[in-house]
């Protein structure tokens, strides 16, 4: 059974004014592929015939931006669409009958504010028209975010300074579960005493501590160990950190585990690069 939505999508366009001509003269493979393209929610294009006519759907037109021609196209383009221009070799392989997948292709689209770029995974599928390949379907999806680099073997050596003992315990145990060497204390004086005896890579401290503040403690800690990476946690936003003169990262309480992991991954990258 032919989907009435597909039929409506084809019928709503004056194809006779495009390079594809009257749909009544289309081969079955072309009609089927146009139906697929126009009714697919993901961005998709069809390259068809020896003249290399291009049909695309609304999802692709929206992705390509307001300066791109509106769907469905159906013409020989004056400029190749970005997914088809990404790899001439891959497109030729698909035209030769191979299914081709390209991961993480950097595509640029023209917006009113200029070029906007992102990574996409491309999928080229040859379409047979009788014994020959009549065209190629191209679908694209946004690439998954790159995973953060792995932490150095053995994790990071971290000193946690938190006066709330329950929170301190949970953070330390969580960091240990992720493979770090972590220990915790509840005040600045105890933290500085440890720093004079032990070597740490990360100082993770609350800004507000009993007695000496976390900022003053971190300043003294950096005098003792200049290579320390400082991460602050604060319930007051960045108001208490605006005039801090040394490099640091800050997390807003209550922070999520992912935020702390991202901050530690940033430290790891610096250590791996030797910065």
């Amino acid at each position: 059974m032919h989907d009435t939505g597909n039929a409506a999508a084809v019928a709503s366009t004056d194809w006779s004014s495009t390079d594809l001509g009257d749909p009544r003269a289309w081969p079955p493979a072309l009609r089927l592929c146009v139906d697929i393209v126009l009714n697919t929610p993901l961005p998709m294009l069809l390259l068809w015939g020896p003249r290399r006519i291009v049909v695309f759907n609304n999802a692709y037109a929206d992705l390509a931006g307001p300066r791109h021609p509106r769907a469905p196209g159906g013409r020989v383009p004056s400029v190749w669409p970005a997914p088809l221009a990404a790899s001439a070799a891959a497109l030729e392989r698909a035209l030769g009958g191979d299914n081709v997948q390209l991961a993480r292709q950097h595509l640029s689209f023209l917006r009113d504010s200029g070029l906007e770029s992102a990574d996409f995974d491309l999928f080229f599928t040859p379409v047979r028209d009788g014994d020959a390949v009549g065209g190629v379907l191209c679908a694209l999806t946004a690439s998954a975010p790159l995973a953060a680099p792995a932490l150095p073997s053995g994790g990071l050596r971290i000193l946690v300074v938190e006066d709330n003992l329950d929170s301190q315990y949970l953070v330390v145990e969580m960091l240990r579960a992720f493979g770090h060497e972590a220990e915790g204390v509840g005040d600045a004086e105890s933290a500085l005493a440890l720093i004079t005896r032990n070597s740490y890579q990360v100082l993770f401290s609350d800004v507000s501590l009993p007695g000496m503040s976390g900022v003053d403690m971190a300043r003294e800690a950096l005098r003792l160990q200049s290579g320390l990476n400082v991460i602050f946690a604060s319930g007051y936003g960045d108001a208490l950190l605006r005039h801090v003169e040394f490099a640091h990262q800050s997390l807003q309480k209550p922070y999520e585990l992912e935020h702390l992991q991202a901050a530690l991954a940033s430290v790891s990258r610096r250590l791996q690069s030797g910065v």
Side-chain angles (χ1 to χ4, degrees):
M1 180 181 293
H2 193 280
D3 187 285
T4 56
N6 293 355
V10 172
S12 64
T13 299
D14 181 10
W15 295 100
S16 62
S17 64
T18 74
D19 293 337
L20 286 174
D22 191 334
R24 289 173 293 184
W26 292 358
L30 173 57
R31 175 175 286 277
L32 175 62
C33 287
V34 171
D35 283 349
I36 292 171
V37 169
L38 297 186
N39 290 278
T40 298
L42 295 176
M44 182 175 282
L45 308 93
L46 168 67
L47 178 70
W48 184 262
R51 297 179 61 199
R52 301 198 171 180
I53 300 166
V54 175
V55 178
F56 47 88
N57 59 13
N58 285 319
Y60 177 76
D62 292 341
L63 172 67
R67 296 176 179 239
H68 190 274
R70 295 295 86 195
R75 295 188 176 279
V76 178
S78 55
V79 178
W80 275 117
L84 301 182
S87 174
L91 184 58
E92 289 303 319
R93 282 181 57 199
L95 287 167
D98 293 337
N99 289 292
V100 183
Q101 298 182 18
L102 296 179
R104 204 164 292 281
Q105 299 299 297
H106 199 63
L107 306 184
S108 297
F109 298 101
L110 186 60
R111 306 282 191 251
D112 289 335
S113 57
L115 284 178
E116 183 176 300
S117 301
D119 289 341
F120 292 86
D121 298 338
L122 306 180
F123 304 84
F124 296 101
T125 303
V127 178
R128 295 201 169 272
D129 182 21
D131 294 332
V133 173
V136 172
L137 285 169
C138 175
L140 57 156
T141 61
S143 300
L146 288 171
L151 293 169
S153 178
L156 297 167
R157 296 186 301 278
I158 305 171
L159 177 60
V160 177
V161 189
E162 168 62 68
D163 61 311
N164 184 307
L165 296 183
D166 289 337
S167 296
Q168 179 196 125
Y169 174 80
L170 288 173
V171 172
V172 168
E173 290 304 308
M174 177 183 65
L175 292 173
R176 289 173 178 170
F178 285 120
H180 303 292
E181 299 176 31
E183 56 186 314
V185 293
D187 57 77
E189 290 74 15
S190 299
L192 292 173
L194 283 176
I195 289 171
T196 60
R197 300 193 303 268
N198 304 315
S199 175
Y200 300 97
Q201 293 167 307
V202 178
L203 175 64
F204 180 40
S205 176
D206 196 347
V207 171
S208 299
L209 295 171
M212 181 186 293
S213 73
V215 172
D216 289 338
M217 180 267 296
R219 188 177 289 113
E220 178 64 15
L222 286 168
R223 188 186 66 80
L224 296 170
Q225 291 188 27
S226 60
L228 266 177
N229 295 271
V230 178
I231 303 174
F232 287 120
S234 173
Y236 303 96
D238 290 332
L240 301 179
L241 301 173
R242 288 175 185 159
H243 303 296
V244 173
E245 75 282 4
F246 52 83
H248 65 278
Q249 299 185 72
S250 64
L251 304 179
Q252 172 68 46
K253 285 187 173 183
Y255 54 85
E256 296 181 10
L257 174 59
E258 290 79 4
H259 297 157
L260 178 55
Q261 288 178 301
L264 294 173
S266 176
V267 171
S268 178
R269 286 193 293 270
R270 287 199 299 273
L271 293 175
Q272 288 175 332
S273 63
V275 176

